[in-house]
Amino acid sequence: SYDCGDLYITVYDVVGGAKKAVKQGAFFDQCYGASGTLPISEKFSENFDAGQYSLEAQLFDKTGDKFLSATQKFSVQ
């Protein structure tokens, strides 16, 4: 089973094909259990200039050996 770990969120600016980190956040000891949803009580609230970005979330297990990763592109106009 895999239900707790450290969550890292990184937002990359992807304009022009380059991948440059512009915002990062770390949330330690996050658990989602059977619900499958992370109950983050902390906030990751950032302002972005117009452009194209990629958000990457990585959840590492307690030992740091295994992780789950998800990426989503988004645009700000």
Side-chain angles (χ1 to χ4, degrees), residues 16-31:
K19 187 175 173 182
K20 177 184 173 188
V22 292
K23 308 282 182 179
Q24 293 182 311
F27 305 92
F28 303 107
D29 297 321
Q30 300 298 311
C31 297

Side-chain angles (χ1 to χ4, degrees), residues 2 13 16 24 26-27 30 35 37 39-40 42 47-48 52-54 56-58 64 67 71 75 77:
Y2 188 101
D13 183 337
Q24 293 182 311
F27 305 92
Q30 300 298 311
S35 72
T37 302
I40 298 173
E42 303 174 60
N47 292 322
F48 293 94
Q52 295 189 2
Y53 300 92
S54 176
E56 180 177 274
Q58 292 182 307
F67 67 93
T71 303
S75 297
Q77 297 181 354

Side-chain angles (χ1 to χ4, degrees), residues 5-20:
D6 297 334
L7 174 65
Y8 297 91
I9 297 174
T10 306
V11 177
Y12 297 95
D13 183 337
V14 294
V15 172
K19 187 175 173 182
K20 177 184 173 188

